[in-house]
Amino acid sequence: MDSPLLIALSLFIVYVGGLGLLPLLLLPGLKQSLSEGKKRPQQLIALVLGYGIALDYAVVLLFPSLSFALYAGIVLSLAGFAAAFFILRMHFVQLFKARWFVWAGVLYLALLFSGAILYEPLAGWDARSIWFFHGRLIYFNQGFHLSLPGGWNNPALLFSHVEYPKLIPVLAAQSAQIAGFWNEYVPKVSLMLLLLPTLFAATSFFERIRLSSLFLILSFYFSLGGMLWNGYADGFFALFAVFACMYAARWLKDEDSRDLLSASVFLSIAVSVKNEGSLFALLLIVGASAIVRFSKKTVKKTEGTPGDRWRYRLILFLPFLGFFIWTFLKKAWGLQNDLELGAETLSRIAQRVEKGQISLILKSLLIDAQVMRAAILLAGTFIAAKIMRARPPVPLLLPLSICLFYFSGMFVIYAGTPKDLEWHLGTSAGRTMLPVLLCLFASIFFLIQGIENHGSLEPDRQKKAVEKAASKVKNKRKKPASS
Amino acid sequence: MKLFKSFSLIAVVAAALFLFPAITDSAGYLHQKLFFFLSDPPENSKLAFDLKESRRSGGGEYVLPRHVQMIIGLLRKYQASSFRISPEVQKDAETTQRLIEGGYPIVSSQDAHFLVHLDKETVSRDCKPISSMNGFALAYCP
């Protein structure tokens, strides 16, 4: 089928794949972990695609022209593939040796979403007026420097929240550039590209098909309604933010450096998709640091030489380059947020408390945005797990505390909004609560996994038990030889 | 205990489906889209139309309001590089935003000769009417 959308998507996947490989090849111990056939190769694929997307954003922001950035990116991407074949050689194949259900699941879900994402034109208000309008501006101006008088500060553009992060617009503009034209379908290739790493990430949280995996897929991908295909950024922001949180939670338990890196890459995409990403990132970093500090946990140092450790740190922070460049450009161009956060926010909050509008905010966020329903489901699952004395494989402290503080943060933002409160809540509460909903779903998922594992040994305990049994057998064999 | 375990697992997933009807709605909608060839002609032909539209530059603009499509089409026909929107039209946020984003790279500028106004609005005598639809009109004001 001669679909320019599918051609653009295929080329884009290969392009970001090469880009993502380049920094990851510097990762200490990558070849060794591939040769050992370390579990969850799908996590590496998610990492490669995610890293590629984050780097591509930085490359476009660094270069004045979209074409020049794409050519530079293609050179880097080819270098990534060449280096991967040269350094990893046959181990490269290990990347694709995920279990059958991972490939089947990812392909099926990608195919399922592709119909609605690629073959429905952009129609939603925010999709047209914000995200894909910015993409259109970048595409037709071949970069970030607009030909309009005043650039991004042109009064005619102010309705469009020009200070919003530009990852989705950049990917949309590049999709059109690869396809060779702009229409109301081509820029949505960017959404398919963002969907793929999250699908691989989702499958990296289960080892086989169980009810918990079904719950994860249903709650993360189907409960968001049209948010993953109508061109709004909220669904993708929630997915990337919550996967970052899940990886960070798993890292706190297992201290696998790959989890920390995955958390970093997914978080870097979340902060580059929506402004709320900064709040989420702040909570995640503070939350994880606090857990490490107060649990008196000693974080295992990365193995290898001091050079390896510096390399690891660099790879950990590099995905945030695009976010920092955009933050700098925003300041330099004087692009301002319309929420008017500052001292006046406090007086607006006080006024709303006096007017008794707090209950309206709580009702919108808890009831209308369905947070209460998820909380009830969590409570029920928690009781069932408690009765069985089942423990979740990952401590729930991080996702639950982030959920609570993020909810509180959004509550304060609504309480201090300069806009008409009812209008602001009515048009956005359902979307802004998605990260809270997904954090609650993630906690329920971990609890279900705990219930499923109840009675059977957890993977790490299972490994220890097997090792113990093996050493016993070894000792028994040695004894007759010595006697 | 094993029975309770199986029961509680199924109950959680069932409760999720009950509490969040969007799950089943979305799954149904997406499957209907994927297996469009099994559905009846209206849905079937809509997807065939979208497939065709997706292959051409500017495809899919049918989602814009009819009068916006008409105005953008005329601006393109006259090879306008800019247009301005009258204060009365600016009160209609949807029309204004769809004109600005849908018409780009034709830009909205106060110095433009092409004026989008309401039919009932009085405009300068020098302006020449071009066309009108649904109460909106396009004029050329040299």
Side-chain angles (χ1 to χ4, degrees):
Chain A
M1 199 166 70
D2 63 328
S3 170
L5 276 71
L6 294 182
I7 295 168
L9 177 63
S10 314
L11 290 173
F12 219 160
I13 293 169
V14 176
Y15 167 77
V16 295
L19 267 183
L21 275 171
L22 200 57
L24 291 178
L25 290 170
L26 299 172
L27 200 64
L30 176 70
K31 191 175 171 181
Q32 196 189 348
S33 73
L34 280 174
S35 64
E36 284 168 1
K38 215 172 175 179
K39 58 185 179 178
R40 299 194 294 263
Q42 64 268 38
Q43 188 175 343
L44 268 179
I45 301 177
L47 202 49
V48 168
L49 291 175
Y51 215 125
I53 291 169
L55 267 192
D56 175 58
Y57 181 46
V59 170
V60 174
L61 285 168
L62 275 174
F63 289 95
S65 142
L66 196 62
S67 310
F68 199 61
L70 192 65
Y71 292 134
I74 288 171
V75 171
L76 289 173
S77 179
L78 289 174
F81 278 115
F85 284 121
F86 184 72
I87 297 170
L88 298 177
R89 293 175 194 269
M90 287 313 289
H91 301 303
F92 185 65
V93 187
Q94 297 288 340
L95 260 177
F96 304 97
K97 280 198 172 168
R99 298 176 70 176
W100 69 268
F101 68 84
V102 171
W103 285 110
V106 169
L107 282 175
Y108 187 72
L109 286 170
L111 202 64
L112 194 61
F113 277 92
S114 67
I117 290 179
L118 295 178
Y119 297 108
E120 267 182 20
L122 286 163
W125 190 288
D126 280 17
R128 293 201 66 93
S129 289
I130 302 176
W131 309 109
F132 291 89
F133 179 37
H134 297 176
R136 203 176 176 116
L137 289 167
I138 296 167
Y139 173 71
F140 283 108
N141 287 282
Q142 278 297 296
F144 273 83
H145 296 279
L146 303 191
S147 55
L148 286 160
W152 291 93
N153 265 327
N154 184 299
L157 303 183
L158 291 184
F159 71 86
S160 172
H161 302 278
V162 287
E163 86 288 355
Y164 279 10
K166 296 284 179 281
L167 179 70
I168 290 182
V170 159
L171 296 177
Q174 284 184 305
S175 306
Q177 196 182 23
I178 296 171
F181 59 85
W182 181 278
N183 65 20
E184 308 306 320
Y185 306 87
V186 169
K188 287 179 86 185
V189 165
S190 57
L191 303 182
M192 273 308 289
L193 192 70
L194 283 173
L195 183 73
L196 286 173
T198 71
L199 291 176
F200 283 108
T203 57
S204 72
F205 282 93
F206 43 83
E207 300 294 333
R208 52 197 157 122
I209 304 171
R210 287 168 130 186
L211 268 174
S212 57
S213 39
L214 180 72
F215 176 82
L216 182 75
I217 298 297
L218 288 178
S219 62
F220 274 38
Y221 291 93
F222 294 94
S223 72
L224 308 182
M227 287 293 156
L228 291 180
W229 65 81
N230 63 5
Y232 277 63
D234 307 79
F236 288 97
F237 161 63
L239 276 179
F240 278 97
V242 174
F243 278 124
C245 176
M246 288 169 79
Y247 278 127
R250 196 163 70 182
W251 170 74
L252 283 171
K253 181 172 177 278
D254 299 340
E255 293 187 23
D256 184 342
S257 58
R258 208 197 286 181
D259 281 335
L260 184 60
L261 184 58
S262 302
S264 161
V265 168
F266 275 71
L267 194 62
S268 75
I269 295 179
V271 294
S272 302
V273 168
K274 283 207 81 189
N275 275 341
E276 290 95 309
S278 301
L279 172 66
F280 197 94
L282 182 76
L283 294 176
L284 185 57
I285 294 165
V286 171
S289 310
I291 290 172
V292 170
R293 177 82 178 80
F294 292 112
S295 62
K296 289 175 184 158
K297 202 175 161 75
T298 47
V299 177
K300 200 169 68 183
K301 276 190 174 176
T302 318
E303 288 162 15
T305 61
D308 285 346
R309 281 199 281 275
W310 276 108
R311 227 167 356 148
Y312 180 70
R313 278 174 209 153
L314 176 73
I315 297 167
L316 209 56
F317 291 108
L318 192 62
F320 289 92
L321 184 62
F323 167 74
F324 287 118
I325 298 172
W326 176 244
T327 308
F328 170 78
L329 287 175
K330 223 163 55 169
K331 271 238 172 324
W333 293 340
L335 306 181
Q336 289 189 346
N337 193 291
D338 61 345
L339 287 174
E340 298 167 20
L341 294 171
E344 281 180 26
T345 312
L346 291 175
S347 65
R348 282 195 292 265
I349 293 173
Q351 279 172 12
R352 290 210 164 100
V353 172
E354 270 177 33
K355 283 182 190 168
Q357 287 182 318
I358 297 305
S359 56
L360 175 70
I361 304 174
L362 282 175
K363 183 192 161 284
S364 291
L365 300 186
L366 287 173
I367 312 290
D368 302 344
Q370 302 190 330
V371 170
M372 189 60 99
R373 291 181 188 206
I376 291 169
L377 192 62
L378 175 69
T381 320
F382 186 78
I383 291 166
K386 208 72 187 152
I387 290 170
M388 279 186 281
R389 291 181 190 157
R391 281 173 52 199
V394 167
L396 302 182
L397 186 59
L398 188 67
L400 285 181
S401 56
I402 286 182
C403 172
L404 185 69
F405 286 110
Y406 187 85
F407 179 88
S408 312
M410 294 314 295
F411 177 86
V412 170
I413 287 173
Y414 280 114
T417 181
K419 296 169 186 169
D420 174 62
L421 184 64
E422 275 187 54
W423 174 85
H424 200 180
L425 284 167
T427 53
S428 64
R431 296 182 283 117
T432 54
M433 282 296 109
L434 289 182
V436 176
L437 262 187
L438 293 200
C439 269
L440 290 172
F441 286 148
S443 306
I444 297 168
F445 163 72
F446 286 135
L447 277 171
I448 300 176
Q449 271 196 330
I451 296 173
E452 282 171 340
N453 292 339
H454 180 64
S456 59
L457 290 173
E458 283 174 26
D460 51 344
R461 283 166 69 190
Q462 195 177 25
K463 198 178 163 189
K464 275 179 196 166
V466 169
E467 278 170 6
K468 204 175 169 184
S471 67
K472 264 186 185 174
V473 172
K474 225 179 189 180
N475 288 340
K476 269 187 184 174
R477 278 182 189 163
K478 269 183 190 172
K479 271 179 190 170
S482 59
S483 62
Chain B
M1 204 51 148
K2 209 169 181 182
L3 195 70
F4 180 73
K5 180 176 159 177
S6 309
F7 170 77
S8 53
L9 286 172
I10 294 167
V12 171
V13 178
L17 294 176
F18 175 73
L19 288 170
F20 297 93
I23 295 177
T24 42
D25 291 349
S26 301
Y29 179 75
L30 290 170
H31 280 92
Q32 195 189 356
K33 271 263 174 222
L34 182 65
F35 300 108
F36 69 95
F37 44 85
L38 298 178
S39 52
D40 292 334
E43 185 59 30
N44 199 333
S45 56
K46 160 91 172 61
L47 199 97
F49 177 70
D50 278 324
L51 273 168
K52 203 174 149 192
E53 282 284 284
S54 71
R55 290 179 193 158
R56 67 173 188 90
S57 171
E61 282 183 355
Y62 70 84
V63 293
L64 294 170
R66 290 292 297 276
H67 60 279
V68 172
Q69 286 180 56
M70 183 269 296
I71 293 166
I72 292 174
L74 286 170
L75 289 169
R76 284 181 189 149
K77 186 181 162 192
Y78 290 104
Q79 296 182 346
S81 60
S82 60
F83 64 96
R84 66 193 155 96
I85 303 170
S86 77
E88 282 302 307
V89 175
Q90 281 181 33
K91 287 178 189 166
D92 177 350
E94 189 184 13
T95 301
T96 306
Q97 293 191 20
R98 295 301 145 258
L99 276 171
I100 293 175
E101 56 87 8
Y104 201 86
I106 305 171
V107 298
S108 162
S109 160
Q110 285 310 305
D111 314 322
H113 294 305
F114 287 93
L115 171 71
V116 180
H117 63 96
L118 291 183
D119 248 348
K120 59 181 182 190
E121 221 177 330
T122 359
V123 291
S124 162
R125 271 188 200 168
D126 301 334
C127 295
K128 290 171 193 159
I130 297 175
S131 187
S132 69
M133 184 192 259
N134 296 350
F136 292 87
L138 181 70
Y140 182 78
C141 307

